[in-house]
Amino acid sequence: MPRHRIADWNNAYANGANIAGSDRWPAAWAEPAQAFRDALAAEGRARLDIAYGERPRNRFDLFLPEAAPQGLIVFIHGGYWLESDKSDWSHLAKGAVSSGFAVAMPSYTQCPDIRIAGIVREVGAAIEKVAAMVAGPLMLTGHSAGGHLASRMVTTSTPLAADVAKRIRHVVSISGLHDLRPLMRTGMNGALAIDEAEAQAESPALLRPLDGTRITCWAGGGERSEFLRQNALLANIWTGLGATTSCVVEPDRHHYDIVDGLGDPAHALTRTLISE
């Protein structure tokens, strides 16, 4: 009978140390992201550093399609709520923008300057601001910690106003962290400062989804086992709570290249995100 027990929680959530050639990232994202921003800015289709709050990182970029948008997608970056920035990910808007959708990418204040609960409120404010600028259906997606933040928006304790929440057609959580309790066992928690109360209040897997929620949990076959478990976990629990759920494991992808499909309008990840 197989038995499972994690002895090293730091290693369980360590991506770079367990991906060959991981030193390519995040630099491998920076150049295509800059090129995409420059190209759309030259065409007048990039609105950069729009403020949604008072703190320095309360800014988002908005990328627009050639014609009137068919709807709005918000991509929320990861980095364990500790690092990264919207500007590292701009090129991932290409798939949806090429398909006729506007794409917003917010930054947010990072731990330890804020608690995760505060980041949730900031992301909610960013979504409300851009939702007032772009009409139509709203799709949310995010990677890793961003997957947590995207799925957190469609829980019954969402920070979103009811009229904005009702516009959400689909959420795609990519390698999302849906139960925060295991992170309390890692060294990162020195900066994250997650306690039991916050884990209970901010873990999507421990919360109820809003009525009508549709979520796809998407991870790479080469992910750490904890990310695969977290991916399956939310889809499993929320199915039992009435949500429409899907759980996808994309072969031959790891934690860093799992997002690449968003840059391709023909890729299954992009097609899934914008599907009705």
Side-chain angles (χ1 to χ4, degrees):
M1 178 184 297
R3 298 181 179 181
H4 303 282
R5 180 178 181 274
I6 295 174
D8 186 344
W9 288 94
N10 288 316
N11 185 58
Y13 283 91
N15 289 299
N18 291 288
I19 296 172
S22 65
D23 54 350
R24 292 181 53 223
W25 291 277
W29 292 317
E31 184 175 343
Q34 182 68 59
F36 182 81
R37 281 197 307 279
D38 290 347
L40 264 68
E43 297 174 12
R45 296 195 286 125
R47 299 183 61 184
L48 306 177
D49 292 320
I50 300 171
Y52 67 84
E54 296 181 357
R55 303 186 78 165
R57 290 179 58 88
N58 293 166
R59 301 288 186 273
F60 64 83
D61 295 338
L62 177 62
F63 303 108
L64 299 169
E66 293 181 352
Q70 298 177 33
L72 171 65
I73 289 166
V74 179
F75 173 89
I76 308 162
H77 74 77
Y80 279 124
W81 310 274
L82 293 166
E83 57 188 26
S84 192
D85 180 85
K86 62 183 173 59
S87 60
D88 291 332
W89 311 85
S90 308
H91 58 298
L92 300 181
K94 183 178 180 180
V97 168
S98 298
S99 301
F101 292 82
V103 177
M105 295 190 168
S107 289
Y108 45 84
T109 307
Q110 295 176 330
C111 299
D113 294 333
I114 195 171
R115 298 289 294 269
I116 288 176
I119 297 175
V120 168
R121 290 190 294 271
E122 287 193 350
V123 169
I127 293 169
E128 290 190 341
K129 172 92 175 194
V130 71
M133 299 169 63
V134 181
L138 176 59
M139 283 69 70
L140 307 180
T141 187
H143 174 240
S144 197
H148 158 267
L149 294 165
S151 53
R152 177 69 178 81
M153 294 299 125
V154 289
T155 64
T156 53
S157 55
T158 180
L160 297 176
D163 60 331
V164 175
K166 286 178 181 177
R167 287 174 56 188
I168 298 173
R169 185 169 79 189
H170 192 191
V171 175
V172 177
S173 177
I174 305 169
S175 304
L177 294 162
H178 304 128
D179 182 353
L180 301 183
R181 292 173 299 180
L183 279 301
M184 295 167 60
R185 298 172 175 265
T186 70
M188 289 184 290
N189 207 42
L192 297 176
I194 303 167
D195 56 23
E196 188 68 24
E198 185 171 51
Q200 292 285 338
E202 302 300 337
S203 295
L206 305 180
L207 302 172
R208 287 188 170 272
L210 290 168
D211 289 345
T213 290
R214 176 181 166 222
I215 189 164
T216 298
C217 299
W218 191 293
E223 300 260 13
R224 305 293 291 149
S225 61
E226 269 297 274
F227 282 91
L228 290 169
R229 186 185 69 82
Q230 293 252 9
N231 191 60
L233 178 70
L234 188 64
N236 187 328
I237 292 174
W238 277 14
T239 298
L241 297 177
T244 300
T245 70
S246 299
C247 183
V248 177
V249 177
E250 185 178 352
D252 303 319
R253 295 282 184 171
H254 55 62
H255 192 73
Y256 295 149
D257 64 7
I258 187 61
V259 293
D260 290 353
L262 290 176
D264 179 359
H267 192 279
L269 181 54
T270 299
R271 304 315 303 171
T272 298
L273 175 61
I274 66 177
S275 63
E276 296 187 14

